[in-house]
Amino acid sequence: MIQSLFSRTDSFIMFLSVLLLMMMMVSWTEAGYTGIVFSHTSKDVQGNSFTVVLRYKFGYSSCAEAESFSSCPGCSKKIDESSGEWCLREYTTWGSQSFYSYYYGYIGTWINNRNGVSSGVALMYIEGRKRSDINRPNSSPKTGILPVMRVPSNCPRNISLLTFDPDGDHVECRHGSNSNECSTCTPPSVLSLSSSCSLSFSPTNSSDEDSYAVQLMMEDFPSQTINMTYYDGSTVSINSTSSMSRIPVQFVFKVDPAAPSCIAGEYLPRFLPPTPEHGAQFFINVTETIEINIRAEATQSVITELLFSGPVNMTKSSSGSGNFTLTWTPSDSQNDDKESHPICFVVQANASSSIYQSELRCVIVRVGNISSIATPSPPTTSYVVVLQLKISTTLSLKDNKDEIEKAIKDELIRRGLPPDIKVRLLSDGSVKVNN
């Protein structure tokens, strides 16, 4: 059950009473919850208020169960599903909000899991006070995950969560540790977590094969001391050790029976070019369509499907075994403009009755004029950027290199990159861009 908790942080007793009511409302829910990821984006500051866009992607064992759990049936939209295992849906809402902070949350019932987590608690803390460095409230980090991530018990695996922050803040992860973040806060014994949001799995015994509930919190931290302004004009200072938004990242980690081989490209699918690298960025406008081409191979298993988490109305298609395309056109009706949208995916394969997943890869699609998505100065993070654009010209690459570089630079600046970028056209036809 999703519920907006618009109680200000100094009204904690009120918050607790609403939380208890939520627990009673969902006590009947069947065990089928497989995780959730929240995010929020601040836009359009006017006076002492702003527009906030809230998104949550939630997984259940089936699409029917995922649809029926919400207090607003029909309000969420399906993203993707793995038949017989999970269904991923998204609910989006937005509206005007004054400069104060509050919680937005969910409670459900997890599928059976090895670490004994029954009640699922997922509360997002929204930092809604105006920041002095960007002159608007904070936007949360952006990340994504599939409802179920799997690995054979004898194969090592690292899951590097996407840690993109629209404001350029430092991002860290930790396990949920209190009643706002988890009911039973027992981390999976088979996973280790770094503050940089990387989960590591080492080969383990067959006795550890099972499903585990993962309950993480992702937080962003400013790069310097900044002032936060309330709706009434009062201010408070926070420094680089103070977290701002706190978003839940929850999913099921499934340890499967051992594989005959752990070499990527044999049983476990391996990504091949032109699959984008983890953390790549794409820049498009709300009227444009993006296509992300994904290719993978597995010589000892049969690739069956691409599984993804991404924006509403994104579609997937296949042009043959191991060749997939994700296609999406941002929509004003979904408030996609001026926002960063995470897309995460794996390729899945079968051999006999066994299922094998590739590594997780995630990219970011940034929609609209990037200059309107301000970043603090100096920026704290650098990214690999992938741009999908077409520039038609009759100029010769050999004789008109400078003119072509200028045309590319002009288009990149139009898309929102800073005007001091340096563009270099390489001999193989690729383009290198530096600040």
Side-chain angles (χ1 to χ4, degrees):
M1 182 70 62
I2 295 293
Q3 181 151 346
S4 177
L5 305 181
F6 286 98
S7 56
R8 296 173 189 173
T9 54
D10 55 355
S11 302
F12 194 63
I13 294 176
M14 174 182 168
F15 164 68
L16 286 178
S17 64
V18 176
L19 184 58
L20 291 173
L21 175 62
M22 289 172 62
M23 289 182 176
M24 291 186 288
M25 292 173 70
V26 299
S27 60
W28 54 269
T29 307
E30 287 185 30
Y33 172 67
T34 56
I36 202 165
V37 176
F38 279 97
S39 71
H40 69 87
T41 303
S42 64
K43 305 179 181 181
D44 306 326
V45 174
Q46 294 184 350
N48 65 349
S49 65
F50 67 104
T51 298
V52 61
V53 182
L54 307 178
R55 301 182 188 274
Y56 65 83
K57 294 180 173 67
F58 59 95
Y60 264 76
S61 298
S62 69
C63 288
E65 190 176 8
E67 171 65 9
S68 65
F69 101 102
S70 175
S71 59
C72 180
C75 294
S76 65
K77 295 186 177 182
K78 176 183 169 183
I79 295 175
D80 198 12
E81 70 175 310
S82 180
S83 182
E85 187 169 36
W86 55 261
C87 179
L88 182 65
R89 300 181 70 91
E90 180 180 289
Y91 174 75
T92 304
T93 185
W94 55 85
S96 181
Q97 177 64 52
S98 297
F99 295 151
Y100 65 86
S101 303
Y102 59 97
Y103 285 91
Y104 189 87
Y106 159 84
I107 295 178
T109 306
W110 280 93
I111 66 168
N112 292 334
N113 55 81
R114 184 65 172 273
N115 45 328
V117 180
S118 178
S119 296
V121 176
L123 296 181
M124 171 173 60
Y125 179 73
I126 299 173
E127 175 52 86
R129 298 171 293 182
K130 186 170 71 172
R131 296 174 51 162
S132 60
D133 57 342
I134 60 176
N135 204 35
R136 61 169 173 75
N138 190 62
S139 293
S140 73
K142 307 294 181 180
T143 194
I145 194 70
L146 299 185
V148 178
M149 298 295 301
R150 4 179 20 132
V151 65
S153 60
N154 62 323
C155 298
R157 173 64 56 87
N158 288 325
I159 301 175
S160 295
L161 295 178
L162 182 70
T163 55
F164 177 85
D165 189 89
D167 306 320
D169 299 317
H170 176 64
V171 177
E172 293 186 4
C173 289
R174 58 177 173 79
H175 290 290
S177 60
N178 60 62
S179 59
N180 290 347
E181 301 168 353
C182 43
S183 177
T184 302
C185 301
T186 307
S189 58
V190 296
L191 284 174
S192 60
L193 172 67
S194 71
S195 61
S196 61
C197 302
S198 179
L199 291 154
S200 298
F201 171 80
S202 298
T204 189
N205 297 324
S206 60
S207 59
D208 291 324
E209 293 169 4
D210 209 335
S211 295
Y212 297 82
V214 182
Q215 304 173 102
L216 307 179
M217 299 301 296
M218 183 176 283
E219 304 173 296
D220 55 346
F221 299 80
S223 60
Q224 57 192 341
T225 298
I226 59 176
N227 293 326
M228 311 295 287
T229 302
Y230 288 91
Y231 64 96
D232 61 2
S234 60
T235 62
V236 64
S237 294
I238 64 171
N239 58 32
S240 59
T241 64
S242 302
S243 66
M244 292 179 290
S245 300
R246 299 188 286 275
I247 64 170
V249 181
Q250 300 183 354
F251 62 98
V252 172
F253 184 74
K254 192 170 186 178
V255 181
D256 287 326
S261 169
C262 294
I263 298 175
E266 295 186 357
Y267 290 87
L268 306 178
R270 177 180 65 176
F271 286 120
L272 301 173
T275 308
E277 293 298 321
H278 185 71
Q281 292 185 46
F282 297 82
F283 293 77
I284 62 173
N285 293 318
V286 75
T287 57
E288 296 176 327
T289 297
I290 186 172
E291 292 185 352
I292 300 176
N293 296 310
I294 298 164
R295 186 174 169 229
E297 69 171 2
T299 60
Q300 304 301 315
S301 60
V302 177
I303 291 177
T304 55
E305 58 186 334
L306 173 76
L307 300 172
F308 77 96
S309 169
V312 166
N313 298 326
M314 173 166 270
T315 61
K316 63 181 178 181
S317 59
S318 176
S319 57
S321 179
N323 292 278
F324 304 95
T325 301
L326 291 171
T327 305
W328 180 55
T329 303
S331 167
D332 281 326
S333 65
Q334 288 295 313
N335 223 314
D336 293 324
D337 196 19
K338 299 179 182 178
E339 191 166 346
S340 304
H341 300 266
I343 301 168
C344 297
F345 52 89
V346 301
V347 168
Q348 195 157 280
N350 290 357
S352 300
S353 59
S354 298
I355 300 174
Y356 303 105
Q357 278 186 358
S358 68
E359 64 173 308
L360 176 75
R361 285 201 184 176
C362 299
V363 301
I364 279 284
V365 177
R366 304 185 72 179
V367 180
N369 185 354
I370 302 307
S371 62
S372 67
I373 308 176
T375 56
S377 180
T380 58
T381 310
S382 59
Y383 301 97
V384 176
V385 178
V386 178
L387 294 145
Q388 177 174 295
L389 55 86
K390 295 180 180 179
I391 297 178
S392 299
T393 180
T394 58
L395 298 176
S396 164
L397 178 61
K398 178 180 179 182
D399 300 326
N400 305 99
K401 182 170 175 289
D402 291 343
E403 290 87 343
I404 296 174
E405 287 178 344
K406 183 179 185 304
I408 295 172
K409 178 177 179 177
D410 290 345
E411 177 63 16
L412 295 180
I413 294 172
R414 188 187 73 81
R415 299 262 181 145
L417 269 68
D420 60 347
I421 58 170
K422 297 179 177 60
V423 175
R424 186 155 61 96
L425 192 59
L426 304 182
S427 59
D428 62 0
S430 61
V431 178
K432 184 175 183 180
V433 180
N434 299 104
N435 290 332

